[in-house]
């Protein structure tokens, strides 16, 4: 089954051309099934690019997915048109009385700021608390994952001396986890950040379990059973040339930046980068959706109970 998207959303045509199964609202209304409801709280400046990346991953699943796009009410986007925001996005206040099977909180280019200095931090803390009663499973990505692990466990982020930038091997620490079903012993994940989470800080919290990690760039994927959440500090959702775009941007600005590690063939930026993470990206998000499907209540009013309670 496909992902349900407005036919006028830019991602609709992009994903259709790629062969991803998408359907319009009219088509979805003719199917007598309950779709999985997933919201995307998009904190990235290039919203169209980000919404397409995540829609591509969750749209590859055989279940019908209804995607809701959210934005912070207390932040005005400078890189996406008001027309696009007005046509496709809602605020948390618009949906806070609703229930969702899943919520993705994206990264944001503000990782070097203290959390409390972010203009929409108060709103985000309300949203994170709201997930405990209105969302069955939450997926925090990069800064979004760091914000969640800080809010719920006070695990601090730490500034790096140099940007972690490139494609880094990650070790599979818990092959029996349903979220890593089908994963190889190692996988490669794009990384682009100035901060990190320390494994020794994570180890202080028994409810947290590291699923993927790297000796070079630290924990990658953490499961938080107590809050029905996953935190990933890297970017499985990135397109083939996302790191290239970031590198070219910084080079054009004259900003200090290293060639992204393990990304270009022969470490040569004149060559086309190779995507070595796509299959594991699809696998991770498919496993996340499958686990939601197995544990979420059919009656959405019951969302907010724990996975353990549902499995009885």
């Amino acid at each position: 089954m496909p992902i349900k998207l407005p036919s006028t959303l830019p991602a609709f045509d992009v994903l259709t051309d790629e062969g991803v199964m998408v359907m319009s609202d009219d088509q979805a209304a003719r199917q007598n099934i309950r779709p999985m409801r997933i919201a995307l709280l998009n904190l990235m400046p290039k919203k169209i690019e980000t919404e397409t990346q995540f829609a591509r991953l969750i749209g590859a699943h055989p279940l019908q997915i209804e995607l809701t796009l959210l934005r912070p009410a207390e932040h005005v986007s400078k890189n996406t048109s008001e027309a696009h925001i007005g046509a496709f996005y809602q605020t948390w206040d618009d949906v806070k009385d609703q229930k969702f099977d899943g919520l993705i909180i994206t990264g944001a280019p503000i990782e070097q700021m203290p959390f409390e200095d972010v203009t929409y931090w108060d709103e985000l803390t309300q949203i994170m608390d709201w997930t405990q009663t209105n969302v069955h499973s939450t997926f925090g990505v990069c800064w979004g994952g760091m914000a969640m692990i800080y809010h719920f466990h006070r695990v601090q982020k730490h500034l790096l001396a140099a940007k972690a930038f490139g494609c880094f091997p990650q070790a599979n620490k818990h092959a029996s986890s349903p979220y890593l079903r089908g994963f190889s012993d190692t996988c490669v994940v794009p990384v682009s950040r100035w901060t990190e989470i320390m494994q020794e800080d994570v180890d202080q919290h028994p409810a947290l379990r590291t699923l993927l990690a790297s000796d070079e760039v630290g924990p990658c994927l953490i499961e938080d059973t107590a809050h029905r959440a996953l935190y990933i500090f890297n970017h499985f959702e990135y397109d083939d040339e996302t790191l290239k775009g970031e590198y070219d941007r910084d080079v054009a600005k004259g900003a200090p930046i290293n060639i992204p590690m393990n990304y270009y063939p022969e470490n040569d930026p004149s060559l086309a980068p190779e995507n070595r993470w796509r299959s594991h990206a699809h696998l991770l998000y498919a496993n996340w959706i499958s686990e939601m499907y197995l544990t979420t209540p059919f009656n959405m009013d019951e969302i907010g109970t724990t996975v353990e309670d549902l499995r009885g």
Side-chain angles (χ1 to χ4, degrees):
M1 299 299 291
I3 183 172
K4 186 178 83 169
L5 298 173
S7 59
T8 52
L9 187 74
F12 189 97
D13 289 336
V14 173
L15 300 184
T16 299
D17 290 343
E18 292 179 4
V20 177
M21 294 180 66
V22 295
M23 65 162 50
S24 65
D25 291 338
D26 291 341
Q27 291 173 299
R30 293 195 290 269
Q31 294 193 320
N32 188 26
I33 59 175
R34 171 168 112 59
M36 299 288 288
R37 298 196 70 206
I38 296 178
L40 174 68
L41 180 60
N42 192 349
L43 307 176
M44 291 296 287
K46 295 183 177 179
K47 294 201 174 343
I48 294 175
E49 178 181 295
T50 301
E51 67 204 26
T52 301
Q53 290 172 346
F54 282 105
R56 178 183 293 116
L57 290 175
I58 65 177
H61 200 277
L63 296 171
Q64 184 189 133
I65 307 295
E66 179 182 308
L67 182 64
T68 300
L69 298 176
L70 301 177
R71 64 173 180 85
E74 299 177 8
H75 180 72
V76 177
S77 176
K78 299 177 181 178
N79 297 277
T80 305
S81 71
E82 292 183 13
H84 183 84
I85 298 294
F88 301 113
Y89 279 80
Q90 301 178 69
T91 66
W92 170 65
D93 199 52
D94 295 326
V95 303
K96 65 182 180 181
D97 294 329
Q98 300 178 30
K99 302 269 187 167
F100 291 90
D101 299 294
L103 170 68
I104 298 169
I105 301 177
T106 75
I110 50 176
E111 58 181 315
Q112 292 173 288
M113 295 174 59
F115 289 115
E116 289 81 3
D117 289 350
V118 175
T119 56
Y120 50 82
W121 180 248
D122 288 345
E123 180 183 12
L124 185 58
T125 60
Q126 293 179 64
I127 293 172
M128 290 187 286
D129 289 338
W130 167 82
T131 65
Q132 300 307 287
T133 55
N134 287 62
V135 178
H136 184 61
S137 181
T138 306
F139 208 148
V141 178
C142 201
W143 184 86
M146 292 184 181
M148 291 189 70
I149 201 171
Y150 173 74
H151 177 64
F152 287 128
H153 298 279
R154 283 299 183 260
V155 173
Q156 296 281 352
K157 61 182 179 178
H158 299 271
L159 289 173
L160 294 168
K163 186 177 184 179
F165 192 47
C167 297
F168 292 86
Q170 308 289 331
N172 184 338
K173 298 293 187 179
H174 286 282
S176 62
S177 167
Y179 300 109
L180 299 183
R181 190 178 294 114
F183 263 61
S184 305
D185 292 339
T186 60
C187 62
V188 172
V189 187
V191 179
S192 179
R193 49 180 164 81
W194 285 95
T195 55
E196 67 177 343
I197 297 296
M198 305 295 288
Q199 184 61 51
E200 51 263 39
D201 295 339
V202 175
D203 292 339
Q204 302 302 311
H205 302 271
L208 300 176
R209 182 169 69 157
T210 300
L211 303 182
L212 295 174
S214 163
D215 290 339
E216 296 174 273
V217 290
C220 170
L221 179 66
I222 292 175
E223 180 183 8
D224 182 354
T225 54
H227 296 92
R228 303 188 309 279
L230 291 175
Y231 311 134
I232 188 166
F233 308 123
N234 305 324
H235 291 283
F236 264 132
E237 80 280 3
Y238 269 10
D239 296 326
D240 302 4
E241 296 196 344
T242 303
L243 289 178
K244 170 179 166 54
E246 295 180 5
Y247 174 72
D248 291 346
R249 175 202 63 201
D250 287 351
V251 168
K253 288 181 177 179
I257 187 66
N258 295 323
I259 296 173
M261 295 181 63
N262 311 313
Y263 178 58
Y264 293 108
E266 302 175 18
N267 206 35
D268 183 351
S270 70
L271 301 177
E274 296 178 348
N275 189 315
R276 294 181 291 134
W277 61 90
R278 184 184 297 112
S279 59
H280 281 101
H282 281 280
L283 191 54
L284 176 61
Y285 281 85
N287 286 342
W288 177 57
I289 293 170
S290 294
E291 189 66 6
M292 272 194 290
Y293 175 75
L294 290 171
T295 59
T296 194
F298 183 83
N299 180 355
M300 298 197 72
D301 290 338
E302 298 176 6
I303 284 177
T305 56
T306 66
V307 173
E308 289 75 12
D309 289 341
L310 287 167
R311 284 182 165 167

